[in-house]
């Protein structure tokens, strides 16, 4: 995952072991969807490649690269493409099963993805898994015939089984329905589930995986312990590994070296699409924070950057040869409320959360934080802003809840609050006083929160912003009242309502926000959707129903759960993120921003493997 997160520092991130302890295996895996999920203002620019990989313009030696999408032969130049790392090298390792931030961006190169998701068209593109089907309780995955690891071994159904079990062990969505595996042959794996599951949700659960494992050490033992022996604690062992090189390279680049300042990746000639890559090395030095990334892009010190929040004033300083790629991130800044009555005696009340929602003008927050790459939520329902119109009646049955300070005052008064002598809301002598906690190094989140705080103050709340270096610890331990946190697990899966709804109703950080509806059997009572009386919803039961439903039934359940999130506000979604990824045409060809290769996570890693980011020379 990246985007806003790419501007942070290590202090933003709880120690790996502590994070697993605080959040649990499920919370760690769901953190922003970094492990495998596709897991945040289009500028002009055209690529020099065509559908067959295009023709390079040669390098300083006059060479010409001619790749094609089927892995045809290509001249490979002994050159290094320069990029940027996510964090300092001492913080990074190659374990894609540890989903928490920070992660090493090179995972997207070292490990092949099962399938690639076009974030704009909302469709899958085959990669390691050539084709797949969901038929009742049987899921069939067919592996690309010519796909091998860097050591020359074939990627087999046994390996896919091992990798999938690693993901199930570390908290894949509704992993409890996966029942058994059957290797039909070396390249075909069948998975049986205990019940029929919504095919779209199965796809998001399975296809976004990165193939890190092989049915060999250490994964064969971990597989045995978790799947066969049903041993407790295996998830922590999987996530706690800190390999300094990839265990098994299934992707188009492997790790060559790593030191205190950089990691270097080298082209994998065994990859079936290696013929599309005409440069030998891909280097990732550390440029700390967004400021470091901006300076590197402005100074043409790098050729690509996977993700960097870049406002328009910085873009104006960059050379025209920088091509920007924008696509929906399906995540962004939201504000999580603490529902624990003891830790947050006021915010744990629904009326106070609703008043806060009315007081925050989401459009103004977006304007402050960078409107060209962000959009405001139409309603506070926990469904991506990109797809709300597909599922709910935006502005009708689901109002914007943007009544301003006047409506906030009405809600607070109806709940029994009065203004005290200082002009703040209070009840029984207790002032509604709280901090909005925000990660200190996430610059655009800080800017957004700087816009939120005065709106809340104007509405009568005694509130301040608190910039912290360890927000995962703060939230994970429940030491907050209102905190800036992603409103969804992020990325491709969050285009489907199941995943963000599941997130806000308790899956986020192992329910660190103490939402009562996270408990099995708990009923949440809210005003009825038709305006007549109230309705009571067993949130976890309806989420389970949604995982198997489709068509009109699924839409009805989504509307019911979205209504609970709209009224009860376990989270307040504010901003829907538009991703920014960058390729410089100073030395490389680059796909057009509208090309499918420019609408995936991430163009800087996907475009080379389809021949649309090739070396052209100085």
């Amino acid at each position: 995952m990246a985007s806003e997160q790419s501007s942070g520092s290590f202090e933003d991130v709880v120690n790996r072991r502590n994070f697993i302890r605080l959040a649990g295996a499920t919370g760690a895996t769901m953190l922003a969807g970094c492990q495998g999920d596709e897991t945040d203002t289009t500028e002009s620019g055209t690529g020099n490649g065509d559908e067959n990989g295009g023709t390079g313009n040669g390098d300083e030696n006059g060479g010409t690269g001619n790749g094609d999408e089927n892995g045809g032969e290509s001249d490979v130049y002994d050159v290094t493409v320069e990029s940027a790392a996510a964090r300092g090298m001492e913080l990074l390792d190659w374990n894609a099963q540890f989903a928490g931030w920070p992660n090493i961006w090179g995972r997207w190169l070292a490990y092949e993805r099962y399938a690639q998701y076009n974030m704009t068209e909302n469709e899958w593109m085959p990669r390691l898994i050539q084709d797949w089907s969901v038929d009742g309780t049987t899921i069939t995955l067919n592996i690309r015939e010519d796909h091998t690891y860097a050591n020359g071994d074939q990627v087999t159904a046994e390996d896919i089984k091992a990798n999938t079990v690693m993901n199930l062990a570390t908290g894949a969505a509704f992993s409890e329905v996966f029942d058994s595996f059957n290797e039909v042959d070396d390249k075909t794996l069948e998975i049986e589930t205990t019940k029929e599951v919504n095919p779209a949700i199965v796809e998001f659960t399975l296809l976004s995986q990165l193939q890190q494992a092989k049915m060999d050490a250490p994964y064969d033992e971990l597989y045995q312990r978790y799947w066969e022996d049903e041993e407790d604690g295996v998830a922590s062992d999987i996530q706690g590994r800190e390999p300094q090189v990839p265990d098994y390279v299934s992707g188009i680049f492997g790790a060559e070296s790593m030191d205190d300042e950089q990691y270097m990746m080298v082209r994998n000639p065994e990859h079936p699409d290696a013929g599309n890559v005409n440069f030998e090395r891909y280097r990732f030095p550390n440029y700390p924070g967004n400021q470091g990334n901006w300076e590197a892009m402005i100074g043409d010190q790098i050729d690509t950057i996977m993700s960097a929040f870049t406002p328009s004033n910085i873009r104006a300083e960059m050379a025209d040869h920088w091509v920007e790629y924008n696509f929906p991130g399906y995540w962004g800044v939201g504000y999580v409320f603490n529902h624990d009555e003891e830790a947050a005696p006021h915010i744990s009340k629904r009326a106070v959360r609703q008043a806060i929602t009315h007081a925050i003008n989401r459009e103004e927050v977006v304007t402050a934080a960078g409107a060209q790459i962000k959009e405001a939520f139409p309603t506070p329902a926990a469904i991506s802003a990109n797809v709300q119109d597909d599922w709910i009646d935006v502005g009708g049955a689901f109002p914007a809840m943007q009544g301003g300070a006047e409506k906030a005052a009405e809600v607070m008064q109806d709940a029994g609050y009065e203004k005290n002598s200082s002009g703040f809301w209070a009840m029984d002598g207790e002032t509604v006083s709280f901090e909005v906690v925000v990660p200190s190094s996430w610059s655009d989140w800080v800017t957004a929160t700087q816009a939120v705080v005065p709106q809340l103050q104007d509405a009568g709340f005694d509130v301040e912003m608190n910039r912290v270096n360890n927000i995962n610890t703060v939230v994970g331990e429940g030491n907050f009242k209102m905190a800036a946190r992603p409103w969804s697990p992020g990325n491709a899966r969050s285009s489907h309502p199941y995943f963000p709804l599941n997130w806000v109703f308790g899956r986020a950080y192992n329910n660190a926000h103490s939402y009562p509806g996270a408990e099995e059997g708990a009923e949440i009572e809210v005003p009825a959707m038709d305006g007549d009386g109230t309705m009571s919803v067993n949130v976890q039961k309806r989420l389970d129903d949604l995982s198997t439903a489709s068509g009109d039934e699924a839409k009805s359940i989504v509307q019911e759960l979205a209504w609970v999130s709209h009224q009860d506000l376990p989270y307040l979604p504010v901003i829907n993120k538009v991703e920014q990824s960058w390729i410089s045409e100073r030395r490389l060809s680059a796909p057009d921003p509208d090309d499918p290769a420019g609408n995936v996570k991430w163009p800087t890693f996907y475009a080379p493997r389809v021949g649309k980011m090739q070396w052209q020379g100085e």
Side-chain angles (χ1 to χ4, degrees):
M1 284 289 308
S3 192
E4 285 98 337
Q5 293 182 342
S6 65
S7 61
S9 63
F10 179 64
E11 288 75 21
D12 294 336
V13 191
V14 67
N15 170 273
R16 173 192 303 259
R17 300 288 182 180
N18 287 339
F19 182 71
I20 293 172
R21 173 179 59 81
L22 292 170
T26 296
T29 301
M30 291 300 287
L31 174 58
C34 294
Q35 186 273 347
D37 270 352
E38 296 287 310
T39 283
D40 288 26
T41 53
T42 303
E43 300 292 338
S44 62
T46 57
N48 296 330
D50 61 14
E51 290 184 0
N52 297 316
T55 301
N57 293 333
D59 68 357
E60 59 273 13
N61 298 315
T64 303
N66 297 301
D68 65 50
E69 292 191 8
N70 298 313
E73 291 301 319
S74 171
D75 294 332
V76 180
Y77 301 114
D78 188 21
V79 295
T80 301
V81 169
E82 301 286 346
S83 192
R87 292 289 190 276
M89 300 303 120
E90 75 278 6
L91 314 177
L92 304 177
D93 63 63
W94 293 91
N95 186 4
Q97 301 295 340
F98 177 68
W101 195 256
N103 69 64
I104 194 165
W105 286 354
R107 293 175 186 173
W108 276 274
L109 290 166
Y111 306 128
E112 190 64 41
R113 193 175 296 283
Y114 284 18
Q116 189 80 50
Y117 196 72
N118 184 317
M119 303 290 281
T120 300
E121 299 298 325
N122 291 320
E123 61 186 16
W124 291 101
M125 298 181 289
R127 283 180 57 172
L128 176 60
I129 303 302
Q130 185 66 47
D131 55 72
W132 58 90
S133 64
V134 181
D135 183 9
T137 61
T138 302
I139 305 163
T140 303
L141 304 177
N142 295 306
I143 306 166
R144 185 172 175 179
E145 284 291 337
D146 55 351
H147 207 111
T148 65
Y149 294 99
N151 66 3
D153 291 348
Q154 288 287 319
V155 179
T156 68
E158 279 275 297
D159 299 334
I160 297 296
K161 178 174 71 172
N163 198 76
T164 300
V165 166
M166 296 305 105
N167 282 273
L168 299 182
T170 52
F174 59 97
S175 57
E176 67 279 357
V177 306
F178 288 79
D179 185 53
S180 64
F181 296 91
N182 174 36
E183 299 86 58
V184 177
D185 54 46
D186 281 350
K187 292 290 185 176
T188 307
L189 179 67
E190 288 182 348
I191 305 172
E192 290 294 328
T193 59
T194 58
K195 60 183 179 180
E196 292 190 21
V197 184
N198 184 314
I201 298 176
V202 166
E203 288 180 341
F204 284 121
T205 300
L206 285 176
L207 297 181
S208 291
Q209 293 182 63
L210 298 173
Q211 181 64 25
Q212 175 182 341
K214 190 176 189 290
M215 192 61 89
D216 206 337
Y219 299 105
D220 53 354
E221 178 185 347
L222 292 165
Y223 167 85
Q224 176 71 32
R225 289 171 57 198
Y226 176 77
W227 191 255
E228 301 292 345
D229 300 340
E230 300 182 354
E231 180 182 326
D232 293 333
V234 182
S236 294
D237 290 344
I238 295 170
Q239 292 176 315
R241 296 182 62 251
E242 299 184 24
Q244 294 307 298
V245 294
D247 295 307
Y248 302 99
V249 172
S250 59
I252 204 158
F253 277 81
E256 181 179 68
S257 63
M258 188 172 182
D259 57 33
D260 292 342
E261 301 296 329
Q262 65 177 8
Y263 58 92
M264 183 78 78
M265 304 195 71
V266 63
R267 175 180 172 272
N268 171 19
E270 296 295 324
H271 193 281
D273 297 322
N276 291 332
V277 181
N278 75 340
F279 55 93
E280 186 65 29
R281 291 172 300 278
Y282 210 154
R283 189 170 78 103
F284 295 81
N286 182 31
Y287 291 94
N290 278 340
Q291 187 65 45
N293 293 331
W294 297 338
E295 291 173 359
M297 288 193 290
I298 292 170
D300 282 330
Q301 300 169 31
I302 57 178
D303 300 298
T304 77
I305 188 163
M306 185 188 95
S307 175
F309 163 66
T310 306
S312 56
N313 62 312
I314 299 298
R315 179 67 181 95
E317 295 185 51
M318 295 164 57
D320 290 341
H321 53 244
W322 280 99
V323 182
E324 180 177 0
Y325 299 92
N326 301 124
F327 43 87
Y330 296 113
W331 73 292
V333 64
Y335 292 94
V336 58
F337 298 116
N338 196 335
H339 297 257
D340 186 298
E341 294 181 5
E342 183 175 346
H346 300 292
I347 282 181
S348 61
K349 295 178 180 179
R350 180 187 297 168
V352 176
R353 299 193 298 273
Q354 290 185 344
I356 288 172
T357 301
H358 280 292
I360 296 174
N361 185 308
R362 297 188 291 271
E363 292 287 354
E364 290 183 5
V365 175
V366 164
T367 299
Q372 75 275 17
I373 45 87
K374 294 178 172 63
E375 57 185 344
F377 264 75
T379 84
I383 300 176
S384 173
N386 304 79
V387 299
Q388 280 197 0
D389 281 329
D390 297 337
W391 295 92
I392 61 177
D393 181 15
V394 175
F398 286 78
M401 205 177 288
Q402 291 282 261
E406 183 177 348
K407 181 61 177 179
E410 179 184 326
V411 173
M412 292 296 284
Q413 289 167 348
D414 288 347
Y417 285 87
E418 296 180 348
K419 292 281 187 72
N420 61 20
S421 59
S422 299
F424 296 125
W425 293 110
M427 179 183 286
D428 300 328
E430 293 289 333
T431 302
V432 182
S433 180
F434 58 94
E435 294 178 336
V436 181
V437 184
V438 63
S440 60
S441 297
W442 297 10
S443 56
D444 48 343
W445 285 36
V446 170
T447 301
T449 305
Q450 286 173 331
V452 164
V453 167
Q455 291 179 348
L456 293 176
Q457 291 171 339
D458 290 345
F461 296 99
D462 181 18
V463 58
E464 295 180 353
M465 181 175 72
N466 181 11
R467 298 172 59 165
V468 299
N469 292 326
N470 58 347
I471 193 163
N472 280 334
T473 302
V474 171
V475 172
E477 294 180 340
N479 296 328
F480 73 101
K481 294 180 174 63
M482 179 174 169
R485 294 279 72 201
W487 55 264
S488 79
N491 311 320
R493 61 182 164 193
S494 292
S495 64
H496 191 288
Y498 173 85
F499 293 94
L501 288 167
N502 196 25
W503 177 258
V504 303
F505 286 139
R507 197 173 184 93
Y509 315 110
N510 206 28
N511 198 32
H513 55 306
S514 300
Y515 183 65
E519 300 297 327
E520 293 294 335
E523 300 276 343
I524 301 297
E525 186 175 334
V526 293
M529 293 180 67
D530 61 8
D532 184 16
T534 63
M535 59 188 282
S536 186
V537 180
N538 183 329
V539 171
Q540 297 305 314
K541 171 64 166 59
R542 296 304 276 161
L543 281 169
D544 186 59
D545 293 341
L546 178 58
S547 73
T548 64
S550 59
D552 291 341
E553 181 188 4
K555 187 169 186 177
S556 176
I557 298 171
V558 166
Q559 290 173 348
E560 182 180 332
L561 291 171
W563 179 251
V564 176
S565 74
H566 183 279
Q567 292 294 301
D568 205 33
L569 295 165
Y571 253 80
L572 173 57
V574 174
I575 290 175
N576 208 51
K577 182 75 174 69
V578 177
E579 300 288 7
Q580 292 175 288
S581 192
W582 302 88
I583 299 175
S584 168
E585 292 184 303
R586 183 173 65 93
R587 305 195 302 178
L588 299 170
S589 62
D592 188 275
D594 293 329
D595 190 287
N599 288 279
V600 300
K601 282 203 164 179
W602 297 88
T604 55
F605 300 148
Y606 183 73
R609 70 183 299 282
V610 294
K612 295 188 177 182
M613 191 186 96
Q614 293 200 324
W615 182 263
Q616 299 184 113
E618 301 287 352

